[in-house]
Amino acid sequence: MVVKKRLTKQKRAILSYLKSVHTHPSAEHIYSEVKKELPLISLATVYRNLSQMAQDGHILKLELEGEYHFDADVSLHQHCICTKCKKIIDNHDSTISILAMQKSKIQGFHPTRAQVFLQGTCFECSNN
Amino acid sequence: MVVKKRLTKQKRAILSYLKSVHTHPSAEHIYSEVKKELPLISLATVYRNLSQMAQDGHILKLELEGEYHFDADVSLHQHCICTKCKKIIDNHDSTISILAMQKSKIQGFHPTRAQVFLQGTCFECSNN
DNA sequence: TTGTTTGCAAATCATTTGCAGTAAC
DNA sequence: GTTACTGCAAATGATTTGCAAACAA
């Protein structure tokens, strides 16, 4: 039996906020931002919607620094994480993800997605 | 001032267990296994030692499925995660990590490590 | 009308921390 | 002898859940 998803104002506000930024915010941060538009929204609603959207493949759920971070950009790209300022920088290059997926097939694995994280220091922090 | 690390029996038991498996266990799982050898060891000690070893680069700390998983193999390799049985399979191929690190430098990023996760289904689960 | 979604509060679960005693060096 | 490390218990912090009311379809 197919569950019908309803497009609520909360869902719309969360997705619209997430599409407007490139900062990979946490659920808590999304909550505080969306609260400006919908003051009565609850944190549980934010979590529920983010999980649903991630499940449906509309957004990415990244596990970083002990909490989840979300990204409305679902194209094949890498995330560079600065260990000093904790900033997450996108690196748009689909070849790495594609290559990683191809190579994983050797062992009979059937990949659906690749997540590539680079740890290091960003340009600003390297030249502090 | 340099802090001197002491090699305790707890530390030795944790590292020795982790080196004996290729299953990327969680802290809780490592705790229950090491407890067989050291019945009085506490979960806090396991967490403290795993964090220290990861900090010192002796083991890898992987953020997966809402908890940390640990790996005594620090060579450049990828992790394939089966979304059905949750198994983590190693894919030893350093070229992907090296390529990902090289490409991240384009934006002035200074990478120290690459973490590559493949989501999909393993051989067994694909042919269930 | 219907059944999904909401806000709230309480619950959960992994991980961390304070502290006084213990043991590695 | 010094001081890093331990076990214990309590604290923390992110995320989830139960429930009755609200609202999208």
Side-chain angles (χ1 to χ4, degrees):
Chain A
M1 161 258 198
V2 180
V3 180
K4 283 176 200 152
K5 304 271 163 72
R6 289 175 184 177
L7 187 55
T8 62
K9 61 185 176 200
Q10 290 87 342
K11 212 171 279 187
R12 227 180 287 118
I14 292 167
L15 194 55
S16 129
Y17 169 69
L18 203 51
K19 280 185 171 164
S20 76
V21 296
H22 298 89
T23 48
H24 316 78
S26 65
E28 195 84 38
H29 189 261
I30 293 167
Y31 169 63
S32 71
E33 286 299 314
V34 172
K35 220 172 155 63
K36 292 174 184 169
E37 193 187 331
L38 300 173
L40 294 181
I41 197 171
S42 93
L43 184 54
T45 297
V46 173
Y47 272 106
R48 273 187 291 236
N49 280 316
L50 289 170
S51 291
Q52 194 187 82
M53 292 176 199
Q55 195 91 54
D56 296 347
H58 297 124
I59 63 173
L60 295 182
K61 193 175 185 175
L62 314 172
E63 226 163 333
L64 288 173
E65 307 283 333
E67 61 183 13
Y68 290 116
H69 289 259
F70 300 88
D71 189 351
D73 179 0
V74 293
S75 71
L76 293 180
H77 65 284
Q78 290 71 53
H79 292 111
C80 303
I81 299 115
C82 179
T83 49
K84 285 193 186 174
C85 70
K86 307 296 175 189
K87 188 168 37 191
I88 303 170
I89 307 139
D90 285 329
N91 188 31
H92 280 89
D93 181 317
S94 58
T95 60
I96 296 163
S97 298
I98 291 169
L99 182 66
M101 288 172 78
Q102 279 177 345
K103 295 232 174 177
S104 74
K105 290 180 190 166
I106 294 167
Q107 315 190 38
F109 190 78
H110 286 226
T112 53
R113 260 209 93 80
Q115 285 222 13
V116 181
F117 296 114
L118 280 303
Q119 287 149 310
T121 45
C122 70
F123 180 73
E124 291 77 23
C125 288
S126 298
N127 305 288
N128 67 327
Chain B
M1 162 260 199
V2 179
V3 179
K4 281 175 204 154
K5 305 272 164 68
R6 289 175 186 178
L7 187 56
T8 62
K9 60 184 177 203
Q10 290 87 344
K11 213 171 278 185
R12 227 179 289 118
I14 292 167
L15 194 56
S16 131
Y17 169 69
L18 202 51
K19 279 186 173 165
S20 76
V21 296
H22 298 89
T23 49
H24 316 79
S26 65
E28 196 84 39
H29 189 261
I30 293 167
Y31 169 63
S32 71
E33 286 299 315
V34 172
K35 221 173 154 61
K36 291 174 185 169
E37 193 188 331
L38 300 173
L40 294 181
I41 197 170
S42 93
L43 185 52
T45 296
V46 173
Y47 272 107
R48 273 187 289 234
N49 280 317
L50 289 169
S51 291
Q52 193 188 84
M53 292 176 199
Q55 195 91 54
D56 296 346
H58 297 125
I59 62 173
L60 295 182
K61 192 175 185 175
L62 313 172
E63 226 162 331
L64 288 173
E65 307 281 334
E67 61 184 12
Y68 291 114
H69 289 259
F70 300 87
D71 189 353
D73 179 0
V74 293
S75 70
L76 293 180
H77 64 282
Q78 290 71 55
H79 292 111
C80 303
I81 299 115
C82 178
T83 50
K84 285 193 184 173
C85 71
K86 308 293 176 192
K87 189 170 33 189
I88 304 170
I89 306 138
D90 283 329
N91 188 32
H92 280 90
D93 181 319
S94 58
T95 60
I96 295 162
S97 299
I98 291 169
L99 183 65
M101 287 173 77
Q102 279 176 346
K103 294 232 176 179
S104 74
K105 290 181 191 165
I106 294 167
Q107 315 188 42
F109 190 79
H110 286 225
T112 53
R113 258 208 94 81
Q115 286 224 11
V116 182
F117 295 115
L118 281 303
Q119 287 149 312
T121 45
C122 69
F123 180 75
E124 290 77 23
C125 289
S126 299
N127 305 289
N128 69 326

